[in-house]
Amino acid sequence: MKTRVFSGMQPSGNLHIGNYLGALKNWVRIQHDYDCIFCIVDLHAVTVYQEPRELRAKIREIAALYLAAGIDPKVSAIMVQSSVAAHAELAWMLTCVTPVGWLERMTQYKAKAAKQESVGDGLLQYPVLMAADILLYQAGIVPVGEDQAQHLELTRDIAQRFNTLYGETFVVPETSLPTVGARIMGLDDPMQKMSKSASGAHHAVALLDPPDRIRKTIMRATTDSQPSVDMDSAGPGVLNLLAIYQAFCGWSDEQMRSHFQGMRYGDLKKQVAEMVVSQLEPFQQRYGQIVSEPGYLDAILRDGAARVAPVAEETVRLTKERMGLF
Ligand code: AQP
């Protein structure tokens, strides 16, 4: 039997090249080797306010982006988190074995809570829901970007704590990070990770940005005071541009060095921009075809939910039995 893989993205804001290089590209690569479930985690998105009509549209947009990237719905299940009620049910059971101190230590919680006047409980509970998403399907591998590694560690801790308290119930999952592109940084500020919720106009390249905008954003990227690339002393902005190029084209470190060493920053940016444009153009064409077929996406999402629901229900049944619930 193939090892199960679970991963997801929040339908909050526009997916960017960080989401693609950190996670989605990896999903496409491994989908034939594992039993994959790729989720649109809408219950996570509502940990901060989402305008309902926009959220409904975003869920379908993310599904179309998964397909455009190359996820094959005949091979992998694509589903929406809120369409399988067991996610929320298991989350409650796991909440009851999770010390609040574990959640308060999460760096993403601290960063997001610091930006809000009144912090919703959902923001604190977010990693428990994420643990439920993964443990519900007894996933062995979770391919994510580096920003989610801490949440994955917490998932492992929650699974181990539950297994110790109630007996072997959950597979303890492994994190899978890409070797290049695990943490793409903001183009306007290479000390911050590229993020959907960041506000800067030239912070990120969104997967659906038109070529002109992609070029403009990359040409404005923050670098440093040196004139040209020195692979041994490059600052974070230049390293970020090189990482984007390498993650898209798959070159080795040696190929990168022999191509870019000594190149002027203006030329580096032009080459990165053309690489991103050329990779996203066919992707955007496929996206256009997918969204032009009425009913296609909803049918895929219904099918995905129907495929995974029996696994989820069995895990909830087992968890309830272990806990002595009715
Ligand atoms: N900058 C990044 N570099 C590499 N991988 C990244 N991921 C996110 N940002 C980067 C990976 O993308 C997947 C989906 O992320 P998410 O939708 O769960 O949200 P997130 O991790 O919180 O990403 P964002 O873009 O920063 O969204 P907001 O601003 O809404 O919080 C995950 O696998 C993540 O690791």
Side-chain angles (χ1 to χ4, degrees), residues 7-24 27 41 44-45 48 50 62 66 108 112 115 126 130 142-149 151 177-178 181-186 192-198 203 240:
S7 200
M9 306 229 178
Q10 298 184 66
S12 55
N14 297 323
L15 286 201
H16 50 70
I17 54 172
N19 300 127
Y20 177 70
L21 298 173
L24 190 48
W27 300 358
V41 288
H44 283 279
V48 291
Q50 307 291 333
I62 305 285
Y66 286 3
Q108 197 176 86
K112 288 197 173 178
K115 289 186 202 151
Y126 176 111
M130 180 165 158
V142 186
V144 285
E146 202 179 87
D147 64 314
Q148 292 296 336
H151 290 160
L177 298 177
R183 192 176 187 84
I184 299 298
M185 308 307 283
Q192 302 293 325
K193 113 181 154 112
M194 189 175 282
S195 173
K196 292 188 228 99
S197 54
H203 169 79
N240 191 39

Side-chain angles (χ1 to χ4, degrees), residues 22 52 71 73 91 96 135 138 144 168 173 183 195 232 237 249 271 274 280 292 298 306:
I71 301 293
C96 297
L135 303 182
Q138 306 288 8
V144 285
E168 274 316 295
R183 192 176 187 84
S195 173
D232 302 310
C249 76
Q271 295 213 5
E274 291 319 309
L280 292 188
S292 70
D298 282 13

Side-chain angles (χ1 to χ4, degrees), residues 29-275:
R29 189 177 57 80
I30 64 172
Q31 65 177 330
H32 295 284
D33 301 329
Y34 299 100
D35 174 9
C36 295
I37 302 170
F38 297 121
C39 191
I40 296 139
V41 288
D42 55 347
L43 293 173
H44 283 279
V46 294
T47 52
V48 291
Y49 177 78
Q50 307 291 333
E51 202 284 312
R53 208 154 37 125
E54 276 174 28
L55 178 60
R56 219 166 278 132
K58 269 287 163 208
I59 290 169
R60 287 167 181 83
E61 180 183 304
I62 305 285
L65 288 170
Y66 286 3
L67 294 169
I71 301 293
D72 181 348
K74 293 196 195 75
V75 176
S76 306
I78 302 177
M79 44 87 59
V80 182
Q81 185 184 28
S82 65
S83 67
V84 176
H87 286 255
E89 201 175 358
L90 184 63
W92 175 252
M93 295 184 246
L94 298 181
T95 295
C96 297
V97 301
T98 306
V100 77
W102 288 6
L103 302 176
E104 284 168 340
R105 276 202 295 275
M106 293 294 108
T107 50
Q108 197 176 86
Y109 166 72
K110 287 196 272 189
K112 288 197 173 178
K115 289 186 202 151
Q116 295 179 21
E117 261 178 40
S118 159
V119 180
D121 185 36
L123 206 56
L124 184 67
Q125 298 298 329
Y126 176 111
V128 185
L129 180 59
M130 180 165 158
D133 298 337
I134 296 161
L135 303 182
L136 191 57
Y137 299 106
Q138 306 288 8
I141 298 175
V142 186
V144 285
E146 202 179 87
D147 64 314
Q148 292 296 336
Q150 191 187 35
H151 290 160
L152 253 299
E153 269 312 305
L154 186 83
T155 298
R156 291 169 54 83
D157 290 343
I158 293 172
Q160 277 158 349
R161 189 178 170 97
F162 191 100
N163 288 349
T164 304
L165 277 172
Y166 292 108
E168 274 316 295
T169 307
F170 298 116
V171 170
V172 180
E174 301 291 335
T175 309
S176 164
L177 298 177
T179 43
V180 185
R183 192 176 187 84
I184 299 298
M185 308 307 283
L187 290 162
D188 56 349
D189 177 2
M191 301 311 286
Q192 302 293 325
K193 113 181 154 112
M194 189 175 282
S195 173
K196 292 188 228 99
S197 54
S199 54
H202 301 287
H203 169 79
V205 171
L207 296 180
L208 296 176
D209 275 353
D212 282 0
R213 190 177 160 79
I214 296 174
R215 290 191 180 97
K216 202 182 265 177
T217 304
I218 293 176
M219 292 311 290
R220 287 194 184 190
T222 302
T223 48
D224 51 49
S225 54
Q226 295 185 46
S228 60
V229 177
D230 179 354
M231 303 296 268
D232 302 310
S233 65
V238 172
L239 289 177
N240 191 39
L241 289 169
L242 291 167
I244 291 169
Y245 192 96
Q246 188 175 16
F248 267 114
C249 76
W251 277 0
S252 66
D253 291 348
E254 292 71 35
Q255 285 171 304
M256 289 294 292
R257 177 179 282 273
S258 76
H259 187 76
F260 285 109
Q261 183 70 8
M263 187 180 283
R264 297 190 70 78
Y265 286 166
D267 293 330
L268 164 71
K269 287 178 178 180
K270 270 188 210 143
Q271 295 213 5
V272 174
E274 291 319 309
M275 169 61 71

